């Protein structure tokens, strides 16, 4: 082969592998269908407990014909079908609304789904699989499993390097009364909005996790006791002074907080620190609630 031909670059056409338009999906984040992904096609999809529904969901908290999602020319809309407990879009009850990428739809205390546009189903599957493993579907805070793993790591690092570490255990006062008087959808609304307020105060590197029920664990990295107490008081005042309006009902909410701080080697392990923060939380409860103890 002549040298001038061998040295030439062969020009080939590289096909565009990602020319497909994004498609609409529903991903079930919690409930009986958790992990399921449904591709939305042009037309209407109905969900509920009835056998003749497009997506039947075995959840006693939803109605037989609960909601429908309609996709028309790339625009998706959700519509409540007169359900008993309602349809909530990002925490707000709706009768009908346009869906945006990333919107969360809740139709019972346990069934929550996410609407998303994605190029490939694999992308949304892997992303949501990770989120379901570490994030509480209702509140968007990290879950207890994630907290326990990360907190042990943070504790070990801070203990080795003599870095202060503070842990806040936060509990919503009289939360059972909210559920009893206003219903579980109101309780879910309070949990979501309290979480948003807590996350609005902490730094990006801090950890806000739903520890269980109405209790949260907040990890404040490189934060001594004084700084943690100041931040906890800000949280307490913010919740106490905030307005929680749910379906034309104003609900007053307060929190109690317990604080534990790792300083040098005053605590032997992560479990002891959680127990210490919990004991201060119970101290706040026993002294009348709506207070911070450290």
């Amino acid at each position: 082969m002549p040298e001038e031909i061998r040295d030439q670059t062969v020009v080939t056409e590289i096909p565009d592998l990602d020319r497909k338009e994004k498609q609409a999906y529903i991903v079930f984040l919690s409930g009986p269908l958790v992990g399921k992904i449904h591709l939305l096609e042009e037309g209407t999809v109905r969900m509920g407990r009835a056998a003749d529904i497009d997506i039947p969901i075995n959840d006693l908290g939803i109605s037989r014909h609960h909601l429908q999602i309609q996709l028309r020319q790339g625009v998706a809309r959700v519509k409540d079908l007169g359900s008993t407990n309602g349809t909530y879009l990002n925490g707000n009850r709706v009768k009908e609304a346009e869906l945006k990428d990333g919107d969360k739809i809740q139709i019972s205390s346990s069934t929550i789904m996410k609407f998303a546009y994605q190029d490939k189903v694999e992308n949304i599957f892997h992303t949501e699989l990770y989120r379901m493993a570490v994030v509480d579907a209702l509140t968007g805070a990290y879950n207890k499993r994630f907290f326990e793993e990360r907190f042990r790591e943070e504790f070990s690092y801070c203990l080795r390097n003599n870095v202060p570490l503070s842990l806040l255990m936060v509990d919503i006062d009289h939360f059972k009364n909210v559920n009893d008087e206003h219903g579980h959808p109101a309780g879910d609304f309070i949990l979501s909005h309290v979480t948003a307020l807590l996350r609005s105060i902490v730094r990006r590197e801090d950890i806000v996790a739903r520890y269980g029920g109405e209790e949260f664990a907040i990890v404040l990295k490189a934060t001594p006791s004084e700084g943690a107490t100041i931040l906890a008081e800000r949280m307490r005042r913010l919740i106490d002074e905030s307005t929680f309006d749910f379906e034309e009902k104003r609900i007053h909410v307060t929190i109690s907080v317990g604080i534990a701080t790792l300083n040098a080697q005053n605590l032997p392990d992560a479990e002891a620190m959680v127990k210490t923060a919990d004991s201060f939380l119970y101290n706040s409860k026993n002294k009348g609630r709506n207070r911070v103890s450290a």
Side-chain angles (χ1 to χ4, degrees):
M1 181 183 293
E3 188 72 23
E4 64 270 20
I5 295 178
R6 190 169 61 244
D7 288 343
Q8 288 178 355
T9 301
V10 177
V11 178
T12 60
E13 181 180 355
I14 301 176
D16 185 353
L17 300 179
D18 250 343
R19 285 181 179 171
K20 289 183 179 180
E21 293 184 3
K22 289 188 176 182
Q23 294 178 295
Y25 295 90
I26 287 293
V27 183
F28 286 87
L29 302 180
S30 64
L33 299 184
V34 61
K36 297 292 185 181
I37 300 173
H38 183 85
L39 170 64
L40 295 174
E41 298 179 339
E42 193 80 4
T44 301
V45 173
R46 298 175 302 150
M47 303 182 197
R49 286 192 296 112
D52 62 344
I53 213 78
D54 299 304
I55 303 180
I57 307 172
N58 187 22
D59 181 347
L60 294 177
I62 69 176
S63 297
R64 288 175 53 80
H65 298 85
H66 197 106
L67 65 81
Q68 70 176 33
I69 296 178
Q70 183 183 68
L71 184 66
R72 179 174 295 175
Q73 297 181 342
V75 177
R77 297 189 65 84
V78 61
K79 180 180 180 180
D80 185 84
L81 299 177
S83 66
T84 301
N85 291 325
T87 298
Y88 293 82
L89 182 63
N90 301 321
N92 299 310
R93 187 166 187 168
V94 296
K95 292 184 177 179
E96 185 173 358
E98 181 178 340
L99 292 172
K100 304 295 184 182
D101 188 33
D103 280 348
K104 286 204 297 186
I105 306 165
Q106 181 175 0
I107 55 177
S108 76
S109 295
S110 61
T111 297
I112 302 173
M113 65 194 87
K114 180 178 179 179
F115 172 80
Y117 288 108
Q118 289 288 335
D119 295 321
K120 296 179 180 179
V121 67
E122 290 85 357
N123 292 343
I124 188 171
F125 176 75
H126 290 299
T127 299
E128 293 307 327
L129 193 63
Y130 172 76
R131 282 184 55 83
M132 286 188 287
V134 302
V135 174
D136 175 63
L138 173 62
T139 63
Y142 289 112
N143 60 26
K144 185 177 181 180
R145 175 184 173 185
F146 178 87
F147 161 75
E148 290 177 336
E149 292 178 356
R150 283 295 305 276
F151 184 58
R152 282 194 293 267
E153 295 172 0
E154 291 294 337
F155 185 93
S156 298
Y157 173 85
C158 292
L159 186 65
R160 289 195 310 268
N161 294 277
N162 196 27
V163 175
L165 178 71
S166 288
L167 172 66
L168 276 56
M169 298 302 289
V170 180
D171 190 81
I172 301 176
D173 298 325
H174 300 298
F175 184 73
K176 184 178 183 299
N177 293 346
V178 174
N179 284 330
D180 291 344
E181 295 177 16
H182 304 286
H184 287 281
D188 293 342
F189 171 84
I190 294 299
L191 283 169
S192 297
H193 282 67
V194 166
T195 303
L197 291 173
L198 295 177
R199 294 175 68 182
S200 72
I201 290 184
V202 302
R203 302 163 300 182
R204 292 186 63 182
E205 63 266 28
D206 295 326
I207 298 170
V208 177
R210 187 179 179 189
Y211 194 73
E214 65 273 20
E215 188 173 1
F216 298 85
I218 301 176
V219 183
L220 304 177
K221 303 179 182 181
T223 304
S225 178
E226 296 80 6
T229 302
I230 292 172
L231 184 67
E233 280 289 350
R234 284 181 58 202
M235 289 179 175
R236 186 196 62 76
R237 288 196 303 269
L238 176 62
I239 301 300
D240 189 20
E241 296 169 0
S242 293
T243 299
F244 297 89
D245 290 328
F246 179 79
E247 297 184 354
E248 301 180 355
K249 300 174 185 176
R250 181 154 295 183
I251 305 171
H252 182 233
V253 176
T254 62
I255 59 173
S256 296
V257 186
I259 305 172
T261 299
L262 173 66
N263 186 12
Q265 296 184 351
N266 63 321
L267 293 165
D269 51 41
E271 289 73 17
M273 191 167 177
V274 172
K275 288 181 180 178
T276 301
D278 252 334
S279 66
F280 281 117
L281 171 60
Y282 288 122
N283 187 52
S284 293
K285 292 285 190 181
N286 292 333
K287 288 187 176 180
R289 297 179 171 81
N290 192 21
R291 66 186 63 231
V292 174
S293 298

